[in-house]
Amino acid sequence: MAQRKNPKGHTKKEGKTAPVESKNGKRTEGGGGGGGGGGGPKYSMFTWFVVLALLGVWSSVAVVYFDIVDYDNVIARAKEFHMNFSEVLQGKLTAYDTDGDGDFDVEDAKVLLGLKTAKTPNVRDSAEEKTETSKASDETTNQQGAEPAEATTSQTLTEETTESGPAPALGDEVSGSQDVESEIQAAVPLPPPVDDDFVPDDPRDSAHPFENDVGIDTTGVLVEDPPPQETVEEAERYLTSSKFTQEAAEEAETPSEPAAEPQRESREAEREAEAEGEVTTEKQAEEKLKDKAKKKKPKLLNKFDKTIKAEIDAAEKLRKKGKAEEALKAFEALVQQFPQSPRARYGKAQSEDDMAEKLRSNDMLQRAINTYREAAELPDVTSDLLRAALKRRAERQQFLGRMRGSLMTLEKLVHIFPEDVSLKNDLGVAYLLLGDNKGAKKVYEEVLEVAPGNGFAKVHYGFILKSENKISESIPYLRGGLESGEPGTDDGRFYFHLGDALQRVGDNDNAYHWYELGHQRGHFASVWQRSLYNVDGLKAQPWWMPKETGYTDLVKVLERNWKMIRDEALAVMDQNTGLFLPEEENLREKGEWGQYTLWQQGRKVGNSCQGVPKTCSLLERFPEATGCKRGQIKFSVMQPGTHVWPHTGPTNCRLRMHLGLVIPKQGCRIRCTNQTREWEEGKVLIFDDSFEHEVWQDADSYRLIFIVDVWHPQLTQYQRQTLSPI
């Protein structure tokens, strides 16, 4: 009998264990034998290697023996990890699995220490119990099997995304617009401003420019794209793959004794019965996976580039790690050494693109735009690289406001790839950004002729029809495009215009249904508040009292001087009514509505103040109004019989003051959300025009008011300085 000392110094006898056959086929004698001396039996070198490798496992044996900690609790906490350590070493621990439960745990440690007798598996367990166990095992294995696959797919998607370069920062894409009562009604997407440098809306935007990249949809507006449909397909693939793996593992672990055979057959029969309802889903998933497999990864390397693939990969690795400066130097060296390499020059363009994002530099971005063109013009460039380079060039030209240049780039792309519908869709957007609705309409008609179900073309075509005041015709295209769920269709403007069109044909129920969907998709703050250029966290309510705004001094000045303001406005109307320009935003159902603007986007409009000098002199004391870059200051005259459709302003960053100047006794009213009010001469009404509002003028004479927009009182000084004009 071999002997060993216990913790108290006494010796304890142990029975010699039977020989154990290891996995390498050698037989080892149990016991505590040491080196060359001693009479005890010896372990093989392989066993010692396993013992050393599994030091953590043997430590658990010691912990159990000395009863130091609650080992059961430790094991339970360890199982919270995605992959249990004992499962990783499953193959190595089979020889130590004394209780037959498939792993090495506290019970096995107790048996090895002699604290417990080994349990013999009961082959008479019911088939039902084993079936339940196998189901639980299936679920666990499915979850664990899916994780590595998801990680691999995520890595692949990241690599493919990186190939297209970083997306522009959100703050820079919010752009200016013309003076409108409701900018959101415009049918043309807003072009980005051409600034001397990049200015974020918030200091946090520029802290880590690569951490919060936002996709740029082909309408020219930065949006968070919805999760792609392939997410579901991928999940189904992981589930199917892990299920097959689990079935194979269960078959391998199933005992081969005849007594267990009926249990296995019963379990398999139950599993097959459960799978019958999933056959169709699995077949569909397999078909989709086959289709996806056909879509090959873009071929960016030509024959020459393959000979310098190692150098290109090394430079690209730096770029993907976010080391833009080092990557740019590496690609510049490659271009200098191999000027005929399209892939090296494309990598240089991407690195310059990255540097432009990092430095917030338009000059660097222009360099990238030029290099993308150079890469596309090199001989022997692959079609995939040509397409990627020119497409990215067009996107960055749009970002800089180079709309005509972007249009020319996209026209070249469409000429080279005439069958690519997505490029034609991008070309249509380029026409819209130039204000050429006719050109865009022609492009989308061509797309819908060959691809009538294309959701992107549908929603933009409906967008154009509505801008032409073809309300009824626009509805099926807008609705069909949104229902398609295709990339580029999930845009708040489309939800807005579909709801607006439905309201105008009298279908209010469906209108508010789509407004609600737009709210659920995160485009609108609420069903009532549907502005799209917003700052989060600002107090939102339709009607305001002067004290709530903090602008009581301005309100008092306006109300005390309302007659002087009125007289100057009337003088302008009498001298030259042409200064009151008609509303051109398609907001009127009927009637006449004119406006005379003094300030727009925080700047005086021409010589307009010469006609009303005293009014302008009063306002110049209040920068919250004259400096409001997202508002206007103007006179508004509305003739009898006018109705203004329900609409919302473009932003929640302003409040709107209405000073009554000439108000008929009856017939003039304004509704904001579900509250309707009337103007009074010499009194100020304050409301948030990002909420839905509507106006009726049913009096016998004209109505004249003075509109003064002010910054939302909760905006900081920094935000007021850096927010882009609207």
Side-chain angles (χ1 to χ4, degrees):
M1 301 289 287
Q3 294 182 342
R4 64 179 177 85
K5 291 185 177 182
N6 62 19
K8 297 181 179 180
H10 303 293
T11 60
K12 181 178 180 179
K13 293 185 178 181
E14 295 179 343
K16 184 176 180 181
T17 60
V20 178
E21 183 170 339
S22 65
K23 289 193 173 185
N24 60 6
K26 295 182 180 181
R27 295 174 65 84
T28 61
E29 296 291 325
K42 303 176 182 178
Y43 281 109
S44 67
M45 290 298 294
F46 174 80
T47 302
W48 277 112
F49 175 80
V50 172
V51 170
L52 292 174
L54 305 180
L55 182 59
V57 174
W58 290 112
S59 298
S60 67
V61 172
V63 168
V64 171
Y65 186 82
F66 290 102
D67 199 23
I68 297 174
V69 297
D70 183 358
Y71 195 82
D72 288 317
N73 184 45
V74 175
I75 289 292
R77 294 181 63 182
K79 288 182 179 179
E80 293 175 3
F81 290 98
H82 288 298
M83 193 168 289
N84 197 316
F85 182 67
S86 65
E87 292 173 356
V88 176
L89 303 176
Q90 192 68 38
K92 297 294 183 185
L93 300 178
T94 304
Y96 307 101
D97 180 16
T98 59
D99 58 359
D101 61 355
D103 63 359
F104 182 85
D105 54 18
V106 63
E107 300 301 326
D108 301 318
K110 290 178 180 179
V111 171
L112 288 177
L113 290 170
L115 302 177
K116 185 178 179 180
T117 304
K119 178 183 178 182
T120 304
N122 186 3
V123 297
R124 296 181 181 180
D125 290 344
S126 67
E128 182 178 352
E129 292 175 350
K130 287 201 171 185
T131 301
E132 293 177 357
T133 304
S134 68
K135 288 180 182 178
S137 178
D138 280 346
E139 294 175 359
T140 303
T141 307
N142 285 342
Q143 293 173 357
Q144 294 173 351
E147 288 165 3
E150 287 173 354
T152 304
T153 304
S154 176
Q155 182 179 0
T156 304
L157 291 174
T158 302
E159 293 174 359
E160 292 174 356
T161 303
T162 309
E163 283 294 331
S164 65
L170 178 61
D172 297 315
E173 191 66 13
V174 178
S175 52
S177 69
Q178 298 182 357
D179 175 24
V180 294
E181 173 89 359
S182 175
E183 179 276 334
I184 199 61
Q185 297 284 341
V188 182
L190 298 174
V194 184
D195 298 326
D196 293 334
D197 52 29
F198 293 80
V199 180
D201 282 354
D202 188 274
R204 292 172 293 180
D205 291 348
S206 58
H208 302 284
F210 294 99
E211 289 182 0
N212 296 313
D213 283 349
V214 182
I216 180 168
D217 96 12
T218 47
T219 64
V221 176
L222 290 172
V223 296
E224 294 281 349
D225 285 337
Q229 292 294 328
E230 64 186 39
T231 303
V232 177
E233 298 165 21
E234 291 291 321
E236 290 175 355
R237 181 179 68 171
Y238 302 149
L239 182 61
T240 304
S241 174
S242 60
K243 180 178 179 181
F244 290 155
T245 304
Q246 176 67 12
E247 289 175 0
E250 286 180 348
E251 289 176 6
E253 294 175 2
T254 301
S256 58
E257 289 82 5
E261 191 66 23
Q263 298 174 9
R264 183 177 67 178
E265 291 176 359
S266 174
R267 184 168 64 251
E268 290 177 351
E270 260 187 58
R271 191 184 304 115
E272 289 175 1
E274 293 173 356
E276 285 179 1
E278 303 174 2
V279 171
T280 304
T281 303
E282 291 178 0
K283 286 183 178 180
Q284 292 176 351
E286 289 175 1
E287 290 175 0
K288 291 178 180 178
L289 288 173
K290 288 179 181 178
D291 293 338
K292 188 177 178 181
K294 293 178 182 178
K295 297 180 182 179
K296 298 179 181 179
K297 187 177 180 180
K299 181 182 177 183
L300 303 180
L301 301 176
N302 62 14
K303 290 183 179 179
F304 174 78
D305 285 334
K306 290 179 181 178
T307 64
I308 58 170
K309 185 176 184 299
E311 292 89 338
I312 291 174
D313 288 346
E316 183 65 14
K317 187 175 182 180
L318 291 172
R319 195 181 75 82
K320 290 181 177 179
K321 287 184 175 181
K323 300 178 180 180
E325 295 180 21
E326 296 178 37
L328 181 56
K329 290 179 181 178
F331 276 116
E332 284 177 338
L334 284 175
V335 169
Q336 186 174 3
Q337 186 177 0
F338 308 107
Q340 74 277 30
S341 167
R343 181 62 183 87
R345 202 170 295 265
Y346 179 63
K348 177 175 177 283
Q350 288 182 303
S351 299
E352 290 169 340
D353 208 335
D354 294 343
M355 285 295 296
E357 184 74 17
K358 183 176 181 179
L359 300 176
R360 321 288 282 178
S361 168
N362 284 354
D363 291 337
M364 180 61 74
L365 185 54
Q366 187 59 54
R367 281 179 55 184
I369 289 171
N370 295 336
T371 308
Y372 281 125
R373 184 197 67 236
E374 294 171 3
E377 292 176 349
L378 285 175
D380 299 325
V381 61
T382 67
S383 60
D384 288 341
L385 192 144
L386 171 64
R387 186 183 186 281
L390 290 181
K391 194 171 189 303
R392 183 61 177 173
R393 182 172 192 260
E395 291 173 356
R396 305 313 272 158
Q397 286 174 310
Q398 286 183 7
F399 185 84
L400 276 184
R402 315 283 196 260
M403 300 305 166
R404 294 199 176 276
S406 175
L407 180 66
M408 294 176 64
T409 301
L410 288 166
E411 285 178 335
K412 182 176 181 180
L413 266 173
V414 170
H415 178 74
I416 298 172
F417 304 98
E419 304 301 322
D420 193 326
V421 171
S422 67
L423 293 178
K424 288 186 177 180
N425 282 335
D426 293 344
L427 180 61
V429 171
Y431 276 112
L432 285 174
L433 291 172
L434 276 173
D436 187 353
N437 285 19
K438 290 183 179 179
K441 186 177 181 181
K442 182 180 178 181
V443 170
Y444 290 125
E445 285 175 344
E446 293 174 357
V447 172
L448 291 172
E449 185 176 353
V450 297
N454 188 277
F456 187 93
K458 275 186 175 182
V459 80
H460 283 79
Y461 189 64
F463 195 61
I464 295 169
L465 289 175
K466 185 170 181 295
S467 72
E468 296 175 346
N469 208 27
K470 297 178 180 178
I471 306 300
S472 298
E473 295 177 37
S474 71
I475 291 174
Y477 288 100
L478 286 166
R479 180 191 288 123
L482 285 173
E483 288 176 344
S484 73
E486 293 182 13
T489 62
D490 187 28
D491 188 308
R493 290 172 299 179
F494 301 139
Y495 287 92
F496 181 96
H497 281 287
L498 176 55
D500 183 66
L502 289 167
Q503 278 185 306
R504 296 192 184 195
V505 298
D507 192 354
N508 287 325
D509 290 341
N510 276 319
Y512 286 103
H513 165 74
W514 283 101
Y515 290 149
E516 176 63 31
L517 288 179
H519 168 55
Q520 292 175 5
R521 296 292 296 174
H523 300 303
F524 307 141
S526 71
V527 173
W528 289 117
Q529 190 178 24
R530 302 191 296 271
S531 55
L532 295 183
Y533 298 91
N534 301 323
V535 170
D536 292 336
L538 298 181
K539 182 179 180 179
Q541 63 185 42
W543 294 98
W544 290 66
M545 297 298 292
K547 290 183 179 180
E548 294 178 298
T549 68
Y551 301 137
T552 53
D553 289 344
L554 173 59
V555 173
K556 289 178 181 178
V557 167
L558 291 174
E559 292 184 343
R560 287 172 183 170
N561 296 276
W562 75 273
K563 289 184 179 180
M564 179 271 293
I565 296 171
R566 178 199 62 188
D567 292 343
E568 285 197 331
L570 290 175
V572 172
M573 288 178 63
D574 292 339
Q575 294 174 6
N576 188 353
T577 55
L579 293 177
F580 277 78
L581 302 178
E583 180 274 326
E584 297 178 347
E585 313 310 323
N586 192 26
L587 297 179
R588 287 169 294 159
E589 178 190 11
K590 58 182 180 178
E592 297 181 21
W593 177 17
Q595 300 174 356
Y596 177 49
T597 304
L598 306 180
W599 270 270
Q600 175 182 316
Q601 297 181 347
R603 297 180 180 179
K604 284 185 179 180
V605 176
N607 298 322
S608 58
C609 277
Q610 291 181 0
V612 288
K614 294 179 181 179
T615 300
C616 289
S617 178
L618 283 177
L619 289 169
E620 285 173 349
R621 297 161 46 191
F622 301 98
E624 62 267 29
T626 58
C628 182
K629 294 185 295 182
R630 294 196 164 189
Q632 301 92 38
I633 299 175
K634 57 191 177 184
F635 294 98
S636 171
V637 61
M638 189 173 290
Q639 300 298 331
T642 301
H643 173 231
V644 178
W645 292 110
H647 62 286
T648 66
T651 179
N652 72 339
C653 295
R654 73 188 187 201
L655 300 180
R656 177 154 285 188
M657 297 184 179
H658 280 190
L659 173 65
L661 299 178
V662 178
I663 308 299
K665 291 183 179 180
Q666 293 180 345
C668 295
R669 61 191 188 279
I670 177 172
R671 174 185 66 83
C672 188
T673 63
N674 56 359
Q675 301 177 46
T676 301
R677 300 189 181 182
E678 297 181 355
W679 296 274
E680 295 181 40
E681 292 184 354
K683 297 297 181 181
V684 171
L685 286 178
I686 307 174
F687 67 102
D688 185 339
D689 77 325
S690 64
F691 287 86
E692 179 183 293
H693 54 287
E694 182 178 11
V695 176
W696 296 267
Q697 215 288 44
D698 297 326
D700 296 329
S701 59
Y702 68 87
R703 181 226 65 180
L704 177 65
I705 62 173
F706 188 42
I707 298 175
V708 179
D709 290 338
V710 292
W711 285 117
H712 192 290
Q714 291 183 340
L715 287 173
T716 66
Q717 192 61 35
Y718 175 82
Q719 290 171 319
R720 299 182 187 196
Q721 292 174 353
T722 58
L723 283 171
S724 56
I726 292 179

